[in-house]
Each structure stands twice: as C-alpha cells, then as structure tokens.
Amino acid sequence: MRFQVLGPMTASVVLPSAAQPRRLLAVLLARAGQFVGRDTLVDELWPDGAPSSAAAIVQVTVSKLRKTLSPGLGAAEAGQRLRSGPRGYALAVEPGELDADDFLTLLSSGADDRAQRRRALERALACWRGDAFADVAGGPLLEAHKLWLEDRRSAALLQLVELELADGDGRSVVERLDPVVAARPADERFAARLAAALGAVGHRESALEVLRRTRRALWEEAGVWPGDDLVAVYRRIAGTDWTTPGPPAQLPPAVPDFTGRVAELADVGRALRGPGPVVLHGAAGAGKSALAVQAAWRARRRFPDGQLTASLRGPDGAPAAPATVLTGFLRLLGATPAELADRAGLTGLWRSYTADRRLLVLLEDATNEAQVRALLPSGPGCATLVTVRRELPGLCGAHPVPVARLSTEDAWALLAAIAGEARLRAEPEAAQRLLGHCAGLALAVRIAGVKLAARPDQRIAEPAARLADDRRRLDELTTGDLGVRTAVTSALRERPAPDRYLLRLLAAFAGPVPDWCAAALLDRPLDEARDRLEALAAAHLLERQGKEHALGGTRWAVAPFARLVLTEGSPPETDGVALRRACEVTLALAEHARGRPAGAETKPDPAVLRRVAADPVAWAAEETAHLAAAARLAGAHGWHDLTERLADACTALAGTPWLGHAARAVSVLGLAAARRRQDPHAEAEKLYNLGSVHLQHGRGRQARNYFVMAGNRFRQLDDPQSTGAVLAALADVDLDGGDARAAEAALLEALELLRECGDRRGQAAAAAQLGSLAEDVGDVRRAVESFEVSMLLARECDDGRWHDHVAKRYADVLRRHGGCDQAADLLTGALGGTVRTRERHWEAHVLRSLGELHTEAGELGDGERCLTRSLTLFEQIGHRHAAAYTHRCLAELGRRAGDPAGARWHLRVAMGVFRELRDRRGAGYTLLSLGRTHADEGAGPEAARLLRTSAGLFEELGFPLWELRALRELNAVTSESPARDRTREVLTKIRT
C-alpha cells in the first residue's frame, strides 16, 4: 500500500471522502507506527471543543478506516494495519509506503559526495506535490507536524540552491526560487539567494527589484528592516550601501498605559484609509496627542515609505512656519541641499516627493486650516493625522473626530492603569469622587494617577477631598511639567480678548447659561450671540448642555477647568455692568412668566418674550436653575433689591416642592436681602419659604423653627392671611411629629383667620388638610365633611389647580372607605387637570393614587402602568420622599401579583428614604406592607414582629385607623391576647 502526504493526502486505496476519517488517518500517518491516545485523537478531531459523544465517534471512525485499509480483517486479526491497544490506536506503515519517509531518507543520504548530495536533494524535493497534508485541516499535533515537514523542505531547498550557486548554476536557482520568493517575499534567506543568482546571470535590475520588494514586505508584515545578509547582497550587487536603514519612522512612542477610546480609534483607523486628512479636535488636555499616536502606530504598516511627525506650535506657543516643517520633512525623504535652498519651491517639491509614496504624516497642535493645508502630502497613498484644539471646517475633505471627555469607564481604566486597579477597588467611592472632580479630562486623570502612584500609602479619599475645593483644584492637578492650569491657560490665550471676556461673564454664573442670557451679557441680538457661542463651543471652551429644549433655547456652560481658570482673581469692574444687565433681563422674563409686567429698565429680546408667553410653565421648569444662579450672582455683588426679587421669582416659579440643591441657598439669599432692606413683611415671607424648603426635604425641626418665626412676624404685622398659611404649614410639621392635637388646633385657627380675610383658596387647602387629619385620627365622617367643604371652596377659586389638588386627597380617603367609583371620577378629572397645567409633581401624585385604586380593584396591569409612570416622574423631579411612597405602592402591587421578592426590594428602597428623612408615618406604612408580605410567605414570627412595630408607630402618631389595620393583620398571624385587646380599644376611637 502507498500513502502520500506531501501534498493532498492520497493512498493506493480509495479513502473516505468525509472530513473526520481523513483527519484521523492524517494524525495516524503523522505518527506512523506509534500509538496515538484516544484523548489526543479527540483533541485533533475537535480542536474547538468536543461533543459528549466524541469517544464513540472515534471508535466508529476507526472501524470505518479498518474496513478501508484492511478489508475483510477483524480488529485483532493478523495483518490488520489499524491496531488497537491500551494506549490508543496505531497505523502500521512499512518502509517505502509513505512519501514523507522517502523524503526524509533522501534528505539524509549522499552526505560525502557533492554531486550525489545535489541529486539526493533534487529527488527529495521531487517528492513534494504541494503543501504537506494540503487538503486536511488538523488540530495542534497535525499542524505542528506540517510545520516540521515544511521546515525540512525549506532547509533542503536552501541546501540545494547553495550547492547550485557554488557550482555556478544561477539559472537553476532562479527557476527554483522565483515562484518561492513571489509567494514569500519577506523570507530574507531565499530573497538573498535569488538576488545573488539574478546578479550572477546578469539581471542586475531584477535582482535589485527583488531586494527592494523584500524590504517593503519586511516592513509591511513585521515592521522591521532587512538583516545584515540582505544588506550585504544589496551592497555587492548595487555597488553601494542602502542610503538609510529604511523609510523615516518619526512616530513618538505610544503612551504605555493608554486605555479606552475604542470608538475613536476605530473611527480614525477607518478614516486613515481615505484621501482626506483626519482631524482630532478636543479641549486642551483631552488626550488628543495620545490618541493620535496610538492610532498612528496601529496604522503604520500601511505606510511603508515612512511616518513623519511635526509639532505646529513653537516653544513660545507661536505657530510654526510651514516652510520650516517642510524643510525637515524633505530632508528626511532625501532632498538635496540644493533643492532645499529654494524656499519658495518647497511646497512644489513636497508634492513631488509625496506623489508616489505611501506616507503617514502626523501634525500636532495645529492652529488653523492654512497651516495644515500647506503640509498635506499629494499622493493618494498618503494619509494625514492632525490634532487641534478647535474644529477646522475650512479644510476640504477633512474627517473630523471629536475627542470628548473620557467616559466614566475609560477614566477609571486610565486611573487604574497608572495607580493600580486593586487600590481603586479598595476605595471605589473615593475613586469615583476623585474622577468626578477630574471631569473626564484625560490630563487631569493622568496627573491624579501619577500623584497617587508616587504615594502608595496614601488613601484615595485624601486627594479626592482636596480636589473637591474649587479654589485648590488647579493647584492639586499639577505635577512635574504637567499642569491642567497651564494647558487651559494656553488654550484661552489663543482666543481673542472679546471671546475671553464673554467666557469670563458666562463663568460667573457657575452653571449652564441660556443663549438669551448670553445675548444680554453682550447687549447684542440673539442670533449674533448664538454665533459667538457656537464658535466657542467649536474651540471646546464652551459646552452645550443637553439638547435644544422645546422652547427653542439652548443652554451653555463654560468647560469646568476653563471656568476655574477664568474665575481666579478679582473680576474687572466692567464685568459688573454686563452681569447686572443679564440678571435684570432674567428677572424681567421671570416676571413675564408670572404674568407681571417687566420693568422699564430692561428690554428682553421680543422673540424670547414670545417663547415665555407661549408656555410659561415649561419655561419656568427649564430655567429655574438659571434663576437660582442669577439670584446667587446678584447676592454676591450686593444688589439686594435685585437679589430679593430674583429669589421671590425663583421660589414662585419653581413651585412646591422645590427640591433643587439651590432651594435653601436662594431662600437664604432672599431672607438676607430683605433684612438688609429692613422690610419686615418680606423677611417674614422669606422665613416661610425657608420653612417650606426644609419641610420638603424632610427636616421637620428646622422647618418648625422657621415657620414659628414667620408666624410671629405675620402676627406682629397683623396679616391674618399669611398667618393662616403659616399655621397650615405648622400643622403638617406637627402631624409628621405625631402631635395630631396640635395639628388640629393649628388648622382650626388657620381656618378662622382665613375666613376673616376671605381667602377661599387658603380655606380650601386648610379644609383638605383637616380632612386628611380627621381620617388619620379615625373620624371618617368628619374627614368626608371637611373634604366636601374644601371641594366647594376650591370650585369658587379662579385657578382649577386647587380643585384638582383637593380632589386627589379626597379620592384617597374615599378609596380607603369604599367609595371607589367616586374616587375614580375625582382622580380621572384631577389627572386631566394636572396634565393640562403641566404640574408634573401633582400629576405623579394623582397617578400614584390611581395606581393604588387599580391595584385594590385587582386591575394589576393598569395599576403597574400608573405607578411606574408616577415613580418615573418623581425621580425626574428629584422628589425622593414622594418616590418612596410610590415604591411602597409598587410593593403592594407586587405582593398581590405573587412577587414577594420584588415587593421586598421596593420596600427596602422606601424604608431607606423614610429612615433618612425621619418619616415615621412612611416607616409605619412600609412596616405594615412588609409584615403582610412575610405573612403571605408563611413567615409568621417575622410578620408578627413587623406588624407589631407598625402598630406601635401608628399608636405613637395617634393614627387609630392605620393602627387598626396593622392590628388586624397581626391578629391574623398570632393569637396574642394583648393584640386583640388593643384592637377592641382602638375600635372605640374610630367614628365612621
């Protein structure tokens, strides 16, 4: 029998055509006469992972091969070629049956005689019909055997051509090696022999072309230059040395800890295949150079004629002259001194030198289009990579790639690469705070990481705390010759003085500024201001905040570190005029939104006034944060009257609850301004506002203090309407504190005062509060009566919103006491009203009540939709307290839907907020729901403990109805007599 493997695998018998038997035979032939283990065969047949039935498949395949190779013979019979044993399977191959054995035998013969050796090598190479096992794909063992055979073949070929060269038979060498070198141009050994043979037969140019082609292949495939042997052959044939070791390779070293920027790298890699320049633009310190160098190193093998690099900014920050850069480039490409002497012709010479080359040109720190345009190579095989601090829209065909702030993940990865991942994992929260202060600026993250690495024993919390101080941050972000302040200052100096002036004015607001405010700062039309803002954004010194909102306006914020640089030191006096003008325009628009006439001293843009008038509620929601910033700015400059009016407008437009972080600060500013103006009534109003802010944030003690002070002042001023409002607010504080009697007394006095002054809106609100209180203390009849009175009073008010607010609260009482149909009607009407008036806060409250109504009616799908929307709205507003109540409702829905795990999750979230805000009422509700959930799961002792705690809280608060609900649930899971006795006692306090 004959086997051939030096080419496609064949045999003197017809082999199976299926892949698996052929692969198994190939492995056995590679180890002819040796046992191959079953596990090895499995790995060879399934290198990417074997199926569970692999062993059985191998046995079946062996059986098929036996029938082919030894037909009619059993596995254990004499003469069987494919034998089995404890170590696996072995294929018997006799001498002369395998062409690979013939090749190896010939390779080792004829060692003593030169002519015999040459003939033996010729016969050995004649055994080959192509690549070893050419039509069989194998696993690691077979592939390694293929490589071993190919190495022996190459060694034989090399020995043969060297003998032929020594015999002066250059033509034979050329015939043998020409196809080999064409297929493997980067193989220096064969290229050197082929070039030597071509030179020996008089084909000098062909020999040099082979050498040049090999040099290009070495660079493209491996990024290396020719070795000494190839250089020596070139010297012998050309009569001279290669002028340079290779094309110019000027790329700076890549940053070793480069991380992230995956999307940008992919974008740059694709763009470098096109004809236009690739422009990386971003803020100073964004990491443009590191990204450009990284991308250039990845692409360099596509540019075998070299990579050129130049900085287009001198040491003094001045732009570099294109002629100077071109001179350096052309000298590296081999231009003679005579060619370089003609300065006027450098551009044409550059185009000529780059027409047929494949060059990568990296231009760093460009300043404008003209500078880059003069340095663009002309050849279609060239590419240009540019880094610049602003976009270059005038550069034809350019592909812009913005280098934005680092993402949270990329910033973490960079800091970890410098300071160590384990160190960050040990203090994850501190590391996130530190990264937050770095604002995604790659330079800032790098400096912070370098300083951490230099202090291995320092806790990350220490530098994070120092970076939290705006006044110290720039000083902290400096190390060696790296500094954020230096980089940002350089970028600001590039801008003309009017741009720096506008940036300084915008930075004074310490937050996003709407475009109409920028127009007021400049005292220029809105369109002109927008053009200026867009130009600064293109320079990455200004950032667009979010998308253009529904009213057609856009907000802008000075880049974080540019703001810190701009606000260092005292501002010029001239800034005050522009800032006051902007604050006055802000106030005028706010008053317009409130339906009040603007002062004669200000003239806002008519288009902006029309936007405000079209939807004042939406405008107020968009601009509340800016109103707060304007109030802070006015207060800092001592404009007391303006500060107070801005604070009032801000408080009025923000609505209740105002949960923004600026709520307390603005209220304090308004109070301070009122005191400086010695206006006692305004001072009392500001005290009331501060009490409301504290109440909405769950700070009951502070709220009570401010309400008491406000009430005392209003009483002194003989203002019953405001005194009544304060008493109603105090009632909420007392009720949350568990003093229902004090709350009732305050509401009754408030109602009396509000009746005396004819304030029907105030009476409606107080009557509704009294109704909720009556239900809490178990007087359901009185609760219904109070709400009916409140509804009548609310209908007489001009503003339908009050009726919707009362309707929502009344519906909750009705739902809990069997009036579900009436509750549904009230909530449906209230929802429509809150949507029309765009009161997202009250819309969320109404949706929560509707969700509870659907849940109790068994309509769980509708209930989930309403509650999920309610939670989303509260979270968007930032009202964590109200969102916690919605979480409790979602838990009840989950409990009814048979999802106790989901219910417990919602209850844990709610309880966390209630404990933080010291809301005992909410905690009681949550404990009640949690007890019910555990009872449903059969956890009686834990359910009893939770329900007992809930009942105790409601007892302390004086809410007998809720205490009764908790006790009834407790009685269902325990037979404790005290719980039953307390239930009977509570029942005597409830009137229905």
Side-chain angles (χ1 to χ4, degrees):
M1 187 172 291
R2 179 72 174 167
F3 297 100
Q4 292 181 301
V5 298
L6 301 182
M9 188 176 69
T10 62
S12 56
V13 297
V14 179
L15 296 177
S17 59
Q20 293 286 40
R22 291 180 65 82
R23 291 172 76 174
L24 191 146
L25 176 61
V27 175
L28 295 174
L29 285 170
R31 292 289 183 269
Q34 302 176 28
F35 278 96
V36 181
R38 293 175 178 81
D39 291 343
T40 301
L41 290 173
V42 168
D43 291 340
E44 289 293 302
L45 294 179
W46 294 279
D48 296 326
S52 58
S53 58
I57 295 174
V58 169
Q59 289 179 342
V60 171
T61 305
V62 168
S63 176
K64 289 181 180 179
L65 277 176
R66 283 195 178 113
K67 293 176 182 178
T68 299
L69 300 175
S70 303
L73 293 178
E77 291 186 44
Q80 173 59 253
R81 282 184 173 271
L82 185 47
R83 293 168 293 163
S84 301
R87 290 177 295 162
Y89 302 98
L91 180 65
V93 177
E94 300 298 329
E97 290 187 332
L98 181 62
D99 60 352
D101 290 345
D102 296 344
F103 165 70
L104 295 172
T105 300
L106 289 166
L107 202 60
S108 60
S109 66
D112 297 330
D113 184 273
R114 183 189 191 92
Q116 289 181 3
R117 178 65 177 158
R118 181 172 169 178
R119 284 193 298 273
L121 289 170
E122 288 174 344
R123 290 175 59 199
L125 290 170
C127 295
W128 289 77
R129 299 168 294 109
D131 294 336
F133 296 95
D135 59 346
V136 181
L141 186 151
L142 183 59
E143 291 301 317
H145 188 62
K146 289 181 184 180
L147 288 174
W148 182 80
L149 288 172
E150 291 290 347
D151 285 344
R152 303 285 75 72
R153 180 188 187 186
S154 295
L157 180 58
L158 197 61
Q159 291 179 37
L160 179 58
V161 297
E162 285 178 344
L163 289 172
E164 290 174 337
L165 284 171
D167 292 340
D169 192 359
R171 293 187 182 280
S172 294
V173 173
V174 171
E175 290 176 3
R176 290 185 190 282
L177 291 188
D178 197 46
V180 174
V181 173
R184 297 155 60 182
D187 193 321
E188 293 186 71
R189 301 171 303 166
F190 292 124
R193 272 69 176 180
L194 176 59
L198 286 167
V201 297
H203 295 168
R204 178 176 180 274
E205 287 304 318
S206 296
L208 293 175
E209 177 56 31
V210 166
L211 294 171
R212 284 192 288 267
R213 189 169 66 240
T214 298
R215 186 171 92 164
R216 286 196 298 271
L218 285 169
W219 175 251
E220 290 177 355
E221 293 183 18
V224 298
W225 309 122
D228 293 341
D229 289 347
L230 210 64
V231 170
V233 173
Y234 183 90
R235 185 187 304 115
R236 187 168 64 249
I237 295 173
T240 181
D241 285 331
W242 262 323
T243 54
T244 65
Q250 283 196 310
L251 291 181
V255 177
D257 48 27
F258 183 89
T259 56
R261 301 292 192 191
V262 175
E264 291 91 337
L265 280 171
D267 193 5
V268 173
R270 288 190 297 269
L272 285 175
R273 297 181 182 275
V278 182
V279 180
L280 299 176
H281 61 91
K288 303 180 293 297
S289 292
L291 174 60
V293 171
Q294 190 76 17
W297 274 102
R298 293 188 179 195
R300 71 188 181 98
R301 291 183 183 173
R302 301 207 306 269
F303 304 95
D305 294 319
Q307 305 87 44
L308 299 169
T309 303
S311 174
L312 302 188
R313 193 184 307 277
D316 58 351
T324 304
V325 177
L326 285 178
T327 300
F329 283 174
L330 288 165
R331 184 178 291 112
L332 287 168
L333 294 178
T336 65
E339 290 175 317
L340 296 175
D342 181 13
R343 302 281 287 182
L346 287 176
T347 302
L349 187 64
W350 169 246
R351 291 172 181 165
S352 174
Y353 264 78
T354 57
D356 297 319
R357 280 182 163 91
R358 286 184 288 171
L359 290 168
L360 175 60
V361 180
L362 173 59
L363 304 174
E364 295 197 78
D365 287 329
T367 57
N368 53 59
E369 289 91 340
Q371 189 187 35
V372 174
R373 202 176 287 121
L375 300 172
L376 294 177
S378 61
C382 297
T384 308
L385 193 54
V386 184
T387 67
V388 65
R389 287 174 179 166
R390 67 175 183 86
E391 296 180 48
L392 299 178
L395 202 59
C396 294
H399 180 87
V401 178
V403 183
R405 296 184 187 185
L406 291 172
S407 66
T408 303
E409 294 78 10
D410 284 356
W412 178 284
L414 176 56
L415 188 65
I418 301 170
E421 179 73 28
R423 194 168 175 188
L424 270 60
R425 293 295 178 195
E427 294 181 78
E429 294 181 1
Q432 290 292 0
R433 290 198 303 275
L434 183 144
L435 290 173
H437 299 315
C438 291
L441 191 73
L443 178 60
V445 177
R446 178 166 296 282
I447 292 172
V450 168
K451 295 180 78 170
L452 277 173
R455 300 175 178 87
D457 296 329
Q458 184 185 48
R459 290 179 57 81
I460 298 176
E462 294 178 28
R466 290 197 297 271
L467 287 174
D469 187 348
D470 281 0
R471 296 166 298 180
R472 298 181 58 181
R473 192 172 305 152
L474 292 172
D475 293 328
E476 290 293 328
L477 292 174
T478 302
T479 184
D481 62 351
L482 298 177
V484 171
R485 179 189 283 108
T486 302
V488 175
T489 301
S490 173
L492 288 169
R493 285 174 180 162
E494 291 182 10
R495 306 305 304 169
D499 281 357
R500 293 198 297 272
Y501 172 68
L502 175 56
L503 284 168
R504 190 170 63 247
L505 294 175
L506 294 170
F509 284 89
V513 177
D515 48 13
W516 52 261
C517 182
L521 288 169
L522 294 170
D523 199 20
R524 304 300 299 168
L526 187 57
D527 289 343
E528 183 178 330
R530 283 175 174 164
D531 291 341
R532 294 277 300 277
L533 295 168
E534 293 283 357
L536 288 171
H540 298 280
L541 293 167
L542 202 62
E543 298 174 351
R544 188 190 302 269
Q545 297 294 297
K547 298 179 180 179
E548 186 170 312
H549 57 73
L551 299 174
T554 306
R555 286 183 295 281
W556 304 85
V558 179
F561 290 109
R563 177 180 63 81
L564 293 178
V565 171
L566 288 162
T567 53
E568 286 187 313
S570 301
E573 291 295 329
T574 53
D575 289 6
V577 176
L579 291 172
R580 183 174 181 100
R581 181 173 57 243
C583 288
E584 288 174 347
V585 168
T586 300
L587 177 61
L589 291 171
E591 297 291 19
H592 194 64
R594 297 174 69 189
R596 299 184 177 187
E601 70 278 5
T602 55
K603 296 180 180 178
D605 187 289
V608 181
L609 282 171
R610 288 194 294 273
R611 283 185 353 221
V612 174
D615 196 341
V617 175
W619 184 88
E622 293 287 351
E623 304 298 0
T624 296
H626 177 67
L627 287 172
R632 288 195 300 268
L633 189 61
H637 282 78
W639 303 325
H640 304 310
D641 180 63
L642 187 56
T643 302
E644 183 181 353
R645 294 171 66 193
L646 280 166
D648 287 344
C650 193
T651 302
L653 290 174
T656 300
W658 184 16
L659 296 162
H661 68 277
R664 181 177 176 276
V666 170
S667 300
V668 170
L669 283 170
L671 176 61
R675 284 176 174 169
R676 287 191 179 95
R677 290 196 312 103
Q678 297 183 347
D679 184 341
H681 196 277
E683 181 183 348
E685 289 178 342
K686 304 307 182 294
L687 288 167
Y688 175 76
N689 290 341
L690 267 169
S692 299
V693 168
H694 281 290
L695 181 62
Q696 293 299 336
H697 284 84
R699 295 188 288 265
R701 183 175 58 81
Q702 295 92 328
R704 165 173 278 283
N705 292 338
Y706 282 111
F707 285 144
V708 169
M709 288 190 286
N712 291 337
R713 282 164 175 74
F714 282 132
R715 289 183 192 277
Q716 292 169 4
L717 294 167
D718 195 21
D719 183 347
Q721 184 177 12
S722 300
T723 304
V726 172
L727 286 168
L730 271 170
D732 282 336
V733 177
D734 289 331
L735 197 59
D736 287 343
D739 194 345
R741 291 186 178 180
E744 183 179 10
L747 285 173
L748 290 174
E749 184 181 358
L751 278 170
E752 186 63 30
L753 291 170
L754 294 167
R755 287 193 195 98
E756 290 178 5
C757 62
D759 181 359
R760 293 186 178 278
R761 181 180 298 174
Q763 290 178 67
Q769 284 180 267
L770 196 59
S772 296
L773 172 62
E775 190 211 10
D776 284 335
V777 299
D779 195 342
V780 180
R781 185 181 304 163
R782 186 181 179 192
V784 171
E785 291 172 356
S786 296
F787 273 113
E788 289 291 344
V789 171
S790 178
M791 294 283 287
L792 289 172
L793 290 166
R795 289 192 188 97
E796 296 179 12
C797 299
D798 295 333
D799 192 346
R801 288 182 297 175
W802 290 97
H803 182 270
D804 295 333
H805 298 179
V806 173
K808 183 269 175 195
R809 299 177 71 173
Y810 188 19
D812 288 340
V813 174
L814 291 170
R815 171 180 57 80
R816 285 192 287 264
H817 298 282
C820 293
D821 292 341
Q822 187 180 353
D825 292 340
L826 289 173
L827 289 172
T828 303
L831 181 61
T834 56
V835 170
R836 283 192 300 274
T837 56
R838 300 189 180 183
E839 291 182 288
R840 293 193 305 160
H841 168 239
W842 272 101
E843 180 186 349
H845 277 295
V846 174
L847 283 167
R848 185 173 66 206
S849 295
L850 269 172
E852 288 186 283
L853 184 67
H854 284 302
T855 299
E856 291 178 6
E859 300 161 351
L860 301 186
D862 291 335
E864 184 177 12
R865 280 190 290 274
C866 290
L867 291 172
T868 302
R869 175 61 179 160
S870 170
L871 182 62
T872 300
L873 286 172
F874 281 135
E875 288 177 342
Q876 289 174 352
I877 298 166
H879 199 335
R880 294 173 59 238
H881 195 190
Y885 279 92
T886 303
H887 273 295
R888 190 195 70 84
C889 296
L890 280 165
E892 278 294 309
L893 185 143
R895 186 179 69 82
R896 291 171 182 257
D899 180 16
R904 283 195 300 274
W905 182 85
H906 283 292
L907 292 170
R908 282 196 297 270
V909 173
M911 184 60 82
V913 176
F914 293 143
R915 284 175 175 165
E916 179 186 339
L917 300 180
R918 298 179 183 177
D919 180 355
R920 294 195 296 162
R921 179 205 299 256
Y925 295 157
T926 305
L927 288 167
L928 174 58
S929 296
L930 199 54
R932 287 169 173 167
T933 304
H934 280 285
D936 290 345
E937 294 180 290
E942 180 62 13
R945 184 186 68 80
L946 293 165
L947 293 168
R948 195 178 297 111
T949 307
S950 174
L953 268 176
F954 290 131
E955 182 182 0
E956 291 174 11
L957 290 168
F959 296 168
L961 268 177
W962 284 102
E963 184 186 357
L964 181 61
R965 292 187 178 104
L967 289 170
R968 283 175 174 169
E969 299 287 346
L970 179 60
N971 289 331
V973 297
T974 182
S975 59
E976 296 177 0
S977 57
R980 300 185 183 280
D981 294 342
R982 179 60 187 169
T983 302
R984 287 190 289 272
E985 184 180 342
V986 172
L987 280 170
T988 63
K989 299 179 180 180
I990 296 173
R991 290 185 293 169
T992 58

